[in-house]
Amino acid sequence: MATVQVGGGLTVHDRQILAAVNTGASSLSFVGSGFIVLCYCLFKELRKFSFKLVFFLALSDMLCSFFNMVGDPSKGFFCYAQSYSTHFFCVASFLWTTTIAFTLHRTVVRHKTDVEDLEAMFHLYVWGTSLVMTVIRSIGNHHSHVGVLCWGQTGRTGKAVHFITFYLPLWGAILYNGFTYFQVIRMLNNARRMAVGMSGHSYEFDARADMRALNRWGYYPLILIGSWAFGTINRIHDFIEPGHKIFWLTLLDVGTAALMGLFNSIAYGLNSSVRRATYERLELFLPERLRRWFPTGSRYRNQEQESELVSLKIQDQQ
């Protein structure tokens, strides 16, 4: 039986697989980020500035995942609508991670308490930059589609502009986040060693609990790397050898990029504050025989809030 090629070296069956992977992964991201958005809207105790940034990150991921799932690439208007909407909210997503990194650095390393006053600047920076990158991307906008995605562009100018307006700022954000979290973790490690030396073993167990939460920040840049490394390689390959797509590379590109929202919702949003608020609500409605399957509320009431901006303890030690 002959294999029908539909362009780019991909068969009809290949495109169907890519479409299924994209829809499934985007659905998981939509549910994960939607859960964080819902928690922020329902639980008043979560409406602090630090978690507000996570809320806008989750909102961007949710809308990015939504536009990943909808649209009809066979129709010009829906193809353009899907392409530009996905581009806008994906750029906004990784830019919100830089505002979280900046806030942590300004609070923990520089000991500034004015981060809440910068909220308007954060919105201008994220939404404004996303809009500019999306508008610039319209240069050379001859779109092709991969599976159900309209991200591909056939012209070399369009491919170059796409790379400049998405992957260049993306890797800039990755480098910034990595450098920032390295500085934050290094300073807190130094503060912990000083505190243990002055306070003895009584402080050591407390510090270990804090550092387990803080060390998670070092893995945050890996989310963006894991989500977009294959996409970056795929775009470079497509630019060098246009019309010769590698199926397994495209599959990893589509799958990992679509899972970014799920990864962000777990790493940034599913902290002890969210878990505690969720369990407390569940305890009000679940029967007694089901509550034993959930962690006790006292455990989460006694935990440190892992995602909060923790500079007070460091300042007390100085």
Side-chain angles (χ1 to χ4, degrees), residues 43 62 185 207 230 248 267 303:
F43 305 149
M62 185 179 71
I185 292 172
F230 294 110
W248 65 266
Q303 281 186 343

Side-chain angles (χ1 to χ4, degrees), residues 14-250:
D14 292 339
R15 292 184 182 278
Q16 290 173 346
I17 294 176
L18 293 174
V21 170
N22 172 71
T23 302
S26 297
S27 299
L28 291 175
S29 291
F30 182 82
V31 172
S33 53
F35 174 75
I36 302 303
V37 170
L38 185 64
C39 287
Y40 180 84
C41 295
L42 293 179
F43 305 149
K44 293 183 179 180
E45 62 267 31
L46 296 179
R47 297 175 192 172
K48 301 176 182 179
F49 180 74
S50 57
F51 199 77
K52 183 183 291 187
L53 299 179
V54 176
F55 162 74
F56 285 113
L57 169 62
L59 181 64
S60 299
D61 283 331
M62 185 179 71
L63 293 173
C64 179
S65 301
F66 173 77
F67 286 108
N68 249 344
M69 294 185 292
V70 301
D72 186 355
S74 63
K75 298 180 180 179
F77 173 77
F78 289 102
C79 185
Y80 282 101
Q82 182 192 54
S83 174
Y84 292 129
S85 299
T86 304
H87 187 275
F88 177 86
F89 288 111
C90 283
V91 172
S93 173
F94 65 71
L95 290 182
W96 278 117
T97 67
T98 63
T99 66
I100 295 173
F102 173 84
T103 301
L104 285 169
H105 183 273
R106 189 170 180 83
T107 304
V108 177
V109 177
R110 301 186 61 187
H111 305 295
K112 301 291 185 179
T113 59
D114 60 346
V115 286
E116 294 190 32
D117 299 332
L118 302 176
E119 182 179 354
M121 294 298 297
F122 287 165
H123 283 283
L124 180 62
Y125 155 67
V126 172
W127 304 122
T129 303
S130 301
L131 180 61
V132 170
M133 294 296 103
T134 304
V135 171
I136 294 176
R137 194 196 161 197
S138 63
I139 300 173
N141 56 352
H142 301 293
H143 292 273
S144 62
H145 57 274
V146 178
V148 294
L149 298 179
C150 289
W151 276 59
Q153 297 190 353
T154 56
R156 291 183 69 88
T157 301
K159 292 177 182 179
V161 171
H162 184 196
F163 195 89
I164 293 172
T165 58
F166 186 84
Y167 290 95
L168 204 60
L170 167 69
W171 285 98
I174 291 172
L175 292 175
Y176 174 79
N177 289 351
F179 177 74
T180 300
Y181 286 124
F182 171 77
Q183 286 192 318
V184 170
I185 292 172
R186 183 179 64 177
M187 176 177 178
L188 291 175
N189 271 319
N190 292 336
R192 179 179 62 88
R193 285 193 292 267
M194 291 176 57
V196 170
M198 291 185 296
S199 305
H201 295 288
S202 61
Y203 183 84
E204 186 172 357
F205 296 102
D206 219 20
R208 286 177 183 174
D210 288 340
M211 291 309 301
R212 277 198 299 268
L214 299 178
N215 284 334
R216 290 175 51 195
W217 297 344
Y219 296 100
Y220 287 175
L222 297 180
I223 295 175
L224 290 178
I225 295 175
S227 297
W228 295 106
F230 294 110
T232 305
I233 297 171
N234 198 22
R235 295 300 175 275
I236 295 174
H237 173 269
D238 186 49
F239 187 82
I240 297 173
E241 296 187 32
H244 298 281
K245 292 188 180 297
I246 302 174
F247 173 70
W248 65 266
L249 181 59
T250 306

